[in-house]
């Protein structure tokens, strides 16, 4: 948990640092969207490969390999930041996109085997919580780190966070070896068997993956629109507005874990996931209606609470599938999420050239609401 928390801190610090650095290099909102889409496209390509590997290889070693690759990329970017090279930036974001996707697929797949099916909701909630607490620290400190040390220091801090994650994984391996546990190693299907999800996994689960992809497409809109909105809300301190927005969102996700931990009657499934997705999308849309900072943060808080609720119930439902299917299923999920987010990045960036942030965010999140409601009707009809 501690290693994941530290690496998450570095990643969230890097979200703001890399966004601002990309804007400085490209000098265009379209440039930000294209570079971020390249990162996500690398994740799309890596997701099915990671899903297959998670069914065959030791998942802890997969996470270690992903950490080392991202560590190398961030060190290279920190050393070459002064050149402001678009080519270097593009190469780095490809490694980050593929590495992050591989790490997440392996980690989510390994949770039930390491901790047991009965503990998957609690552990998934803890992972989401520590990631959110790390987000608060990463977003809150981004302005200070970049302002005092520049982009180079921010990139090196992100690199150091991958070192911490790798050390934690090595220590975890020793603990697992001492107690004789499997260590997150894959449980293969019968030799020579090719796993096909269609016809094996319940249609409702595959439909949840589709909705998650639409949700990712919608979520890209507030990520792209936030810098523009922050500049209009407080032209003198846009970074402060962004930090407060994301900190309130992260706090909401922490609250979601507390609610799910204490109120155990909530079961991971279609209804909880669909309701959480709807509330999240409506809240994100409301956050961009008015520039009053209190209202913006309140809406972001509710959006985070609903997003945490939806993510925990969604992930726990996929983790309930058999081990030999789980890796492929999370690979499919990562493909849907990253491809949806990449497409949304380009589309929302283009939309912001002709429409206000509030209009763009409302339109994109309206798609997520429609998809979630359609899925809820589908799930209830099948039941």
């Amino acid at each position: 948990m501690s290693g994941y928390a530290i690496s998450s801190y570095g990643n969230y610090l890097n979200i703001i640092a890399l966004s601002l650095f990309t804007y400085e290099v490209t000098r265009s909102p379209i440039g930000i969207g294209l570079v971020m889409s390249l990162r996500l496209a690398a994740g799309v390509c890596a997701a099915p490969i990671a899903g297959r590997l998670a069914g065959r290889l030791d998942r802890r070693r997969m996470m270690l390999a992903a950490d080392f690759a991202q560590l190398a990329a961030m060190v290279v970017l920190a050393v070459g930041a002064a050149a402001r090279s678009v080519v270097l930036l593009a190469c780095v974001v490809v490694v980050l996109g593929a590495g992050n996707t591989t790490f997440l697929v392996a980690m989510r797949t390994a949770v039930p085997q390491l901790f047991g099916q009965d503990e998957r909701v609690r552990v998934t909630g803890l992972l989401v919580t520590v990631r959110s607490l790390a987000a608060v620290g990463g977003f809150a400190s981004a302005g200070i780190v970049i302002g005092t040390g520049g982009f180079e220091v921010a990139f090196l801090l992100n690199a150091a966070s991958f070192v911490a994650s790798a050390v934690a994984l090595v220590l975890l391996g020793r603990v697992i070896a001492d107690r004789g546990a499997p260590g997150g190693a894959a449980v293969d299907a019968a030799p020579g068997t090719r796993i096909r999800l269609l016809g094996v996994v319940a249609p409702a689960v595959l439909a949840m993956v589709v909705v998650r992809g639409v949700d990712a497409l919608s979520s890209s809109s507030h990520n792209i629109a936030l810098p523009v909105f922050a500049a209009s809300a407080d032209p003198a301190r846009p970074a402060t507005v962004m930090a407060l927005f994301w900190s309130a969102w992260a706090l909401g996700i922490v609250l979601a874990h507390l609610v799910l931990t204490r109120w155990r009657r909530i079961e991971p499934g279609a209804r909880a996931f669909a309701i959480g997705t709807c509330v999240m999308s409506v809240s994100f849309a409301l956050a961009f209606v008015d520039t009053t900072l209190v209202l913006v943060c309140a809406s972001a808080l509710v959006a985070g609470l609903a997003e945490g609720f939806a993510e925990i119930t969604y992930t726990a439902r996929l983790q309930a599938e058999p081990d030999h299917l789980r890796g492929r299923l999370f690979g499919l999920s990562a493909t849907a999420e990253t491809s949806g987010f990449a497409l949304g990045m380009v589309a929302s960036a283009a939309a912001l050239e002709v429409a206000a942030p509030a209009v763009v965010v409302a339109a994109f999140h309206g798609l997520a609401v429609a998809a979630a409601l359609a899925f809820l009707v589908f799930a209830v009809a099948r039941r």
Side-chain angles (χ1 to χ4, degrees), residues 53-106:
L53 292 177
R56 301 175 182 176
L57 303 180
D58 186 300
R59 292 152 190 167
R60 185 180 60 87
R61 292 181 180 176
M62 286 179 62
M63 290 185 276
L64 273 171
D67 277 339
F68 285 131
Q70 292 178 91
L71 163 64
M74 292 313 302
V75 170
V76 170
L77 183 59
V79 172
R84 299 296 191 265
S85 169
V86 176
V87 175
L88 175 61
L89 179 61
C91 292
V92 167
V93 298
V94 166
V95 176
L96 292 177
N100 184 62
T101 296
T102 300
F103 185 95
L104 288 177
V105 169

Side-chain angles (χ1 to χ4, degrees), residues 11 26 31 41 46 65 75 82 99 118 126 144 146 175 181 208 227 244 255 272-273 316 327 336 340 344 363:
N11 285 334
T26 63
V75 170
D118 293 340
L126 282 174
I144 298 173
I146 297 171
V175 171
M208 288 176 73
L244 289 173
L255 293 176
F273 168 67

Side-chain angles (χ1 to χ4, degrees), residues 56-370:
R56 301 175 182 176
L57 303 180
D58 186 300
R59 292 152 190 167
R60 185 180 60 87
R61 292 181 180 176
M62 286 179 62
M63 290 185 276
L64 273 171
D67 277 339
F68 285 131
Q70 292 178 91
L71 163 64
M74 292 313 302
V75 170
V76 170
L77 183 59
V79 172
R84 299 296 191 265
S85 169
V86 176
V87 175
L88 175 61
L89 179 61
C91 292
V92 167
V93 298
V94 166
V95 176
L96 292 177
N100 184 62
T101 296
T102 300
F103 185 95
L104 288 177
V105 169
M107 182 184 70
R108 290 172 175 172
T109 305
V111 164
Q113 191 173 12
L114 287 173
F115 300 96
Q117 284 288 352
D118 293 340
E119 291 293 312
R120 74 186 193 281
V121 175
R122 184 184 68 84
V123 173
T124 298
L126 282 174
L127 289 171
V128 172
T129 298
V130 298
R131 186 192 68 194
S132 303
L133 291 173
V136 174
F139 289 139
S141 63
I144 298 173
V145 172
I146 297 171
T148 57
F151 293 116
E152 292 83 356
V153 172
F155 296 152
L156 287 175
L157 278 176
N158 192 201
S161 72
F162 291 122
V163 174
S165 176
V167 170
L169 286 169
V170 170
L171 295 176
L172 175 63
R174 292 180 180 177
V175 171
I176 290 170
D178 289 341
R179 73 185 188 188
V187 176
D188 292 331
T193 301
R194 184 177 180 181
I195 299 173
R196 290 181 174 85
L197 295 177
L198 190 62
V200 178
V201 178
V205 175
L206 295 177
M208 288 176 73
V209 174
V210 173
V211 175
R212 191 70 175 171
V214 176
D215 170 43
L217 185 148
S218 301
S219 295
S220 64
S221 63
H222 63 257
N223 282 271
I224 289 291
L226 185 57
V228 180
F229 177 79
S232 63
D234 191 345
R237 298 178 299 170
T240 301
V241 175
M242 291 181 65
L244 289 173
F245 179 95
W246 288 121
S247 296
W249 164 83
L251 179 59
I253 290 185
V254 173
L255 293 176
H257 169 63
L258 295 177
V259 170
L260 285 170
T261 301
R262 294 180 180 276
W263 197 9
R264 294 184 178 272
R265 287 181 295 173
I266 301 176
E267 289 294 328
R271 187 172 302 177
F273 168 67
I275 292 173
T277 301
C278 287
V279 175
M280 173 192 66
S281 292
V282 171
S283 300
F284 271 129
L286 291 176
F288 287 79
V289 171
D290 195 292
T291 57
T292 304
L293 203 53
V294 173
L295 297 178
V296 171
C297 290
S299 297
L301 176 69
V302 176
L305 174 62
E307 182 173 348
F309 186 85
E311 181 178 356
I312 293 170
T313 54
Y314 170 80
T315 304
R317 177 61 189 87
L318 266 60
Q319 288 169 341
E321 293 298 314
D323 189 85
H324 68 281
L325 295 175
R326 203 180 304 133
R328 296 292 295 273
L329 191 55
F330 274 111
L332 177 64
S333 176
T335 300
E337 291 177 60
T338 50
S339 58
F341 203 79
L343 176 62
M345 280 282 190
V346 177
S348 57
L352 282 169
E353 296 290 335
V354 296
V359 175
V360 173
V361 174
F364 275 74
H365 274 289
L367 295 175
V369 172

